[in-house]
């Protein structure tokens, strides 16, 4: 889809990478992808006869001879099986965020990464963007004083799948698209065809995504985790607001008392960090600080001539070459996606949940703990 083609365009210009194969259960999209990649390599000065091998099954793709790494840009519910299979095959992995669809899947990915000794980079590329790096730098060196609160402005949690059934495209294997999740009728909104301009809507539905809480939250809560030095942990309490179907207003607390609220404060998808000495508001388009002189033009995206995706990919390649850890490894990606999933569970159950980041269990709530695994995909109550 759109994400894979966009990322491929960045990779084609990088010396460390050569795209040799593609995999998709939607045949028309797969052909479009491989044709586009071949043509771009030819335009770059390579040989147009360089075949981009096509696979319909990811298990065949990971057996491609001479493969070093895979890039996974599927819907969330497919991430875990593909990450683990690739790691077990001895491949490095770049996986789009959120790293996993359920918390149990996320832990399985971390375990597989550790066992394999390979590099996994989560596609949380805001960690490679100037405004967020500057915000984290200022917070961690104490420029805002004692940190008190963050407000995270993102969209709503997911809903149950409610789309009507449509005639399926001939080249789409819907059963394979659904994969390990719950079968629902095909609708073009969740798997748009070539030429359709909208982003796929599978993210809106709990069967396949986590709403905007995981889509944008996997970026914004991730930055909060990073700024607080909590990449191997997470909040311990989640309090949803009252009401029948709340879309925002949940508040979470870390063990040290730091408070994070999910609420729109009027600046789009953004974060407001509040400290005893001042505040920072940060998003992809801006960084503002209430303390004069701390941020400037060089701290904005506008000052960068290199795509953030290229920067994030470069960090991935450097980690592979140097045997080092990437900026968003498996444990970090898992913990950030866990914050999002726990937020969704609290909204879904409409009651507080108490989380233990060490055992990765919800305290005293059997129903909530079931949602850490496959039951998370079931229809919402």
């Amino acid at each position: 889809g759109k994400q894979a083609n966009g990322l491929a365009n960045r990779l084609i210009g990088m010396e460390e990478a050569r795209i040799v194969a593609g995999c998709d259960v939607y045949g028309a999209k797969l052909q479009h992808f491989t044709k586009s990649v071949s043509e771009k390599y030819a335009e770059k000065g390579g040989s147009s006869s360089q075949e981009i091998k096509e696979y319909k099954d990811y298990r065949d793709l990971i057996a491609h001879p001479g493969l070093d790494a895979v890039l996974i840009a599927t819907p969330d519910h497919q991430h875990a099986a593909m990450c683990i299979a690739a790691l077990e095959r001895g491949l490095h992995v770049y996986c789009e965020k959120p790293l996993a669809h359920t918390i149990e899947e996320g832990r399985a990915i971390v375990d597989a990464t550790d066992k394999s000794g390979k590099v996994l980079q989560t596609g949380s590329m805001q960690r490679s963007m100037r405004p967020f790096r500057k915000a984290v730098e200022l917070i961690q060196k104490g420029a805002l004083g004692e940190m008190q609160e963050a407000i995270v402005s993102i969209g709503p949690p997911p809903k149950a799948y409610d789309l009507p059934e449509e005639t399926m495209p001939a080249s789409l294997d819907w059963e394979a698209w659904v994969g390990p999740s719950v079968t629902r009728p095909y609708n073009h909104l969740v798997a748009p065809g070539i030429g359709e301009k909208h982003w796929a809507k599978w993210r809106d539905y709990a069967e396949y995504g986590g709403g905007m809480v995981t889509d944008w939250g996997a970026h914004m809560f991730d930055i909060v985790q990073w700024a607080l030095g909590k990449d191997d942990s997470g909040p311990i309490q989640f309090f949803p607001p009252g009401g029948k179907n709340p879309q925002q207003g949940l508040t979470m607390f870390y063990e040290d008392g730091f408070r994070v609220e999910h609420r729109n404060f009027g600046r789009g998808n953004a974060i407001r960090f509040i400290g005893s000495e001042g505040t920072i508001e940060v998003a992809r388009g801006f960084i503002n600080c209430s303390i004069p002189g701390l941020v400037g033009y060089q701290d904005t995206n506008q000052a960068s001539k290199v795509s953030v995706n290229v920067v994030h990919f470069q960090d991935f390649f450097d980690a592979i070459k140097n045997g080092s850890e990437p900026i968003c490894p498996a444990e970090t990606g898992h913990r950030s996606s866990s914050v999002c999933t726990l937020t969704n569970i609290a909204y879904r159950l409409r009651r507080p949940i108490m989380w233990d980041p060490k055992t990765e269990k919800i305290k005293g709530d059997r129903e909530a703990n079931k949602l850490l695994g496959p039951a998370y995909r079931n229809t919402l109550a």
Side-chain angles (χ1 to χ4, degrees):
K2 294 176 74 171
Q3 185 71 358
N5 282 279
L7 293 173
N9 289 341
R10 301 301 183 187
L11 285 169
I12 288 168
M14 300 184 72
E15 293 302 319
E16 291 90 344
R18 178 77 198 196
I19 300 171
V20 297
C23 178
D24 202 315
V25 299
Y26 200 152
K29 283 188 174 181
L30 178 58
Q31 292 172 10
H32 174 79
F33 175 83
T34 56
K35 182 175 182 290
S36 173
V37 170
S38 293
E39 289 174 350
K40 286 184 170 65
Y41 274 128
E43 292 169 5
K44 189 185 173 190
S47 171
S48 59
S49 64
Q50 174 74 35
E51 180 188 12
I52 310 298
K53 183 72 174 175
E54 295 180 354
Y55 294 99
K56 294 182 179 180
D57 190 317
Y58 71 89
R59 290 163 292 197
D60 295 328
L61 173 87
I62 63 174
H64 184 90
L67 203 61
D68 297 307
V70 294
L71 186 154
I72 299 172
T74 66
D76 301 348
H77 70 283
Q78 297 274 14
H79 285 182
M82 294 180 181
C83 281
I84 292 168
L87 291 163
E88 289 178 345
R89 183 77 184 186
L91 302 173
H92 302 288
V93 174
Y94 183 107
C95 183
E96 279 296 342
K97 57 82 215 161
L99 182 60
H101 189 42
T102 72
I103 290 175
E104 289 179 359
E105 287 178 346
R107 178 48 59 196
I109 293 172
V110 175
D111 290 345
T113 305
D114 292 343
K115 185 177 180 180
S116 73
K118 297 298 177 179
V119 173
L120 186 146
Q121 172 84 300
T122 310
S124 299
M125 45 69 170
Q126 285 189 173
R127 290 195 176 218
S128 295
M129 296 179 80
R130 289 188 178 192
F132 298 101
R133 294 178 71 88
K134 184 64 175 182
V136 169
E137 174 196 328
L138 291 171
I139 290 164
Q140 292 186 346
K141 75 177 187 180
L144 298 187
E146 183 179 353
M147 295 307 299
Q148 300 168 341
E149 181 181 4
I151 302 171
V152 175
S153 176
I154 52 173
K159 55 186 177 181
Y161 195 95
D162 59 359
L163 296 173
E165 186 169 8
E166 295 178 344
T167 301
M168 198 179 307
S171 69
L172 172 61
D173 184 341
W174 183 245
E175 183 179 350
W177 189 98
V178 170
S181 191
V182 182
T183 301
R184 295 290 182 260
Y186 162 78
N187 186 286
H188 78 284
L189 291 176
V190 297
I194 298 168
E196 295 187 56
K197 295 183 179 180
H198 69 272
W199 285 95
K201 299 294 184 183
W202 53 262
R203 296 170 179 82
D204 295 344
Y205 303 102
E207 291 88 343
Y208 309 118
M212 293 300 103
V213 168
T214 58
D215 184 35
W216 274 96
H219 283 305
M220 299 303 182
F221 289 126
D222 177 66
I223 298 301
V224 174
Q225 290 267 108
W226 187 22
L228 297 179
K230 305 290 188 182
D231 280 343
D232 60 351
S233 183
I236 62 169
Q237 299 174 323
F238 295 77
F239 296 96
K244 185 177 180 180
N245 186 30
Q247 302 293 290
Q248 62 176 324
L250 177 138
T251 302
M252 63 188 78
F253 292 90
Y254 287 82
E255 192 168 17
D256 59 8
F258 189 84
R259 167 191 171 108
V260 181
E261 185 178 0
H262 169 218
R263 175 170 61 82
N264 184 347
F265 58 87
R267 302 207 70 182
N269 295 306
I271 312 167
R272 177 186 291 159
F273 288 103
I274 303 169
S276 59
E277 304 300 321
T279 64
I280 286 176
E281 291 186 354
V282 61
R284 294 190 183 180
F286 62 82
I287 176 170
N288 304 130
C289 184
S290 65
I291 304 172
L294 289 187
V295 299
Y297 177 74
Q298 291 299 322
D299 302 314
T300 64
N301 291 336
Q302 288 81 358
S304 177
K305 295 180 180 179
V306 180
S307 161
V308 66
N309 292 121
V310 170
V311 176
H312 208 58
F313 278 134
Q314 189 65 59
D315 179 79
F316 175 50
F317 298 146
D318 289 346
I320 292 171
K321 291 187 292 184
N322 302 330
S324 56
E325 193 169 77
I327 195 170
C328 198
E331 181 73 34
T332 299
H334 163 57
R335 292 292 185 167
S336 292
S337 68
S338 294
V339 175
C340 304
T341 302
L342 291 164
T343 296
N344 279 337
I345 290 172
Y347 275 123
R348 178 172 180 166
L349 297 177
R350 298 191 290 276
R351 63 172 178 264
I353 60 172
M354 306 296 126
W355 176 246
D356 186 336
K358 293 185 177 65
T359 64
E360 293 189 291
K361 295 292 182 183
I362 296 168
K363 297 179 181 178
D365 194 327
R366 183 176 298 178
E367 181 184 10
N369 275 309
K370 289 181 179 178
L371 300 180
L372 302 180
Y376 181 75
R377 298 183 169 111
N378 294 342
T379 303
L380 296 169

